[in-house]
Amino acid sequence: MGCMSMAETKKNETKPGALTRTIEVKTERRTQLKNFTGEIEKAVAASGCKSGVCYVYVPHTTAGVIVNEGADPDVARDIEAALDRMISHEANYRHAEGNADSHIKTALTATSATIFIENGRLALGRWQGIFFCEFDGPRRREVRVKIVPGASESSD
Amino acid sequence: MGCMSMAETKKNETKPGALTRTIEVKTERRTQLKNFTGEIEKAVAASGCKSGVCYVYVPHTTAGVIVNEGADPDVARDIEAALDRMISHEANYRHAEGNADSHIKTALTATSATIFIENGRLALGRWQGIFFCEFDGPRRREVRVKIVPGASESSD
Amino acid sequence: MGCMSMAETKKNETKPGALTRTIEVKTERRTQLKNFTGEIEKAVAASGCKSGVCYVYVPHTTAGVIVNEGADPDVARDIEAALDRMISHEANYRHAEGNADSHIKTALTATSATIFIENGRLALGRWQGIFFCEFDGPRRREVRVKIVPGASESSD
């Protein structure tokens, strides 16, 4: 599965349902959209949050995060191919490390995602999954997840 | 106007100003940026929130949301055309449902938007509007809106 | 440096660590990614927030914000050039103000960024910086920053 939760970093939070956690993601290809919804869902379950907001943050500059179709893996492959076609790996770039395209792809996707939590679960649409977007793999990466209980939690 | 608020789903929230609501959006074209700022503003008004954060979440995988020019409708048309030019409808895609391009366009825009609430209203810039981005219409769609009052509300 | 904090707009917030502030950004080129991480970091320091979420919001329709490589300025230049290549300045646009491309580039990046606050600082990755994305400069611009302390603040 390649995604592992690191030691739970739930500190002595004062408010029930709050959690900040680091998830480790291992990628296998240079450009790879990896569905890691299950890891985020585990963080939500661990938090005990019933209603609130889940933020996913990628602290890298050649990787991002998006929400897209999780049912048919071909969609992720099509997105990978489209980004590779739009942004050439080799071009007349100034950045000398050979991964300027990876930074550009990151700029076109996003470094954070916001998903609601309802009834103790991620309120994703029926076909949605959360994808780690590797643009300079294979690598070991980290993702930060923050869960903030909403104002309505106690009444749900 | 094609956009209708569904029955208000403000539950017995404990904190004043909190609200989670579903908005229904009806689109008329395959690729269509539809200004639905008014619907989001209505949710803010219904919440009674004076200061906080408004999150707009699209639970679909072939539609997104952006904030852009709301004054001249030609801008939305130019964005639609640019995305259609950049991402071909027909190409050598793996996904067999004929809408791989719709998923790719979604990846390039966003599935959520974050807007501040100040003085009981959306704190949009002078020319800004909030656009539902249909990439596989026409369809009936749903959008979730969550309003979280900020720490400073009681003092505003 | 071109970035100036305006008069501090910390009102009589009730919750410690909350802050909403306007930052002014001056750009020098038509397309320019300007690293203004320091200005955002100053707002975090002024708030006194130890743990929470920092939102950066651009109230313009021809400018955005992204998080990307802050160490090598060549990366920002490569992203600028890639966007200029992808989206022609002059084309058969409907919008008559000569900046349709600026709006399209804004749609492809983002109008808001979400960054965590941990230990009283922005929890950016090692190489990350926050970039104001000017797509129709040079201009004077404004950016709104909102800092919301998280539930775990008192225990950090």
Side-chain angles (χ1 to χ4, degrees), chain B residues 132-143:
Chain B
F132 182 82
C133 303
E134 175 65 79
F135 295 126
D136 194 25
R139 291 212 202 180
R140 281 183 180 279
R141 302 285 205 171
E142 290 191 353
V143 175

Side-chain angles (χ1 to χ4, degrees), chain B residues 6 16 19 72 80 115 153:
Chain B
M6 293 177 63
L19 181 78
D72 177 4
E80 294 168 7
I115 305 116
E153 184 176 35

Side-chain angles (χ1 to χ4, degrees), chain A residues 14-77:
Chain A
T14 46
K15 189 163 176 181
L19 182 77
T20 303
R21 178 186 280 196
T22 300
I23 291 172
E24 197 173 302
V25 181
K26 191 174 163 292
T27 58
E28 293 84 30
R29 291 179 278 116
R30 184 163 195 276
T31 300
Q32 181 183 10
L33 267 64
K34 184 157 192 168
N35 189 333
F36 70 144
T37 313
E39 299 301 307
I40 313 296
E41 195 71 81
K42 275 183 209 164
V44 174
S47 74
C49 177
K50 296 303 174 205
S51 171
V53 181
C54 175
Y55 304 97
V56 179
Y57 186 83
V58 176
H60 303 286
T61 59
T62 54
V65 59
I66 62 165
V67 177
N68 211 292
E69 158 97 35
D72 177 4
D74 277 347
V75 171
R77 291 299 188 117

Side-chain angles (χ1 to χ4, degrees), chain C residues 23-41:
Chain C
I23 291 172
E24 195 174 303
V25 181
K26 189 173 164 294
T27 58
E28 292 84 30
R29 291 179 278 117
R30 183 164 195 274
T31 301
Q32 181 183 10
L33 267 64
K34 184 158 190 167
N35 189 333
F36 70 145
T37 313
E39 299 301 308
I40 314 297
E41 194 73 78

Side-chain angles (χ1 to χ4, degrees), chain C residues 84-141:
Chain C
D84 282 346
R85 266 196 310 270
M86 288 168 64
I87 313 296
S88 307
H89 182 180
E90 307 286 349
N92 197 18
Y93 296 121
R94 299 163 65 117
H95 184 54
E97 296 178 20
N99 61 358
D101 64 313
S102 316
H103 292 287
I104 297 163
K105 289 166 191 165
T106 301
L108 293 177
T109 52
T111 53
S112 69
T114 301
I115 305 116
F116 300 163
I117 298 169
E118 295 174 18
N119 303 313
R121 304 206 50 182
L122 291 167
L124 291 165
R126 182 175 179 185
W127 307 108
Q128 285 185 322
I130 309 171
F131 289 84
F132 182 82
C133 304
E134 174 65 80
F135 295 126
D136 193 23
R139 291 214 203 179
R140 281 186 179 277
R141 302 286 205 170

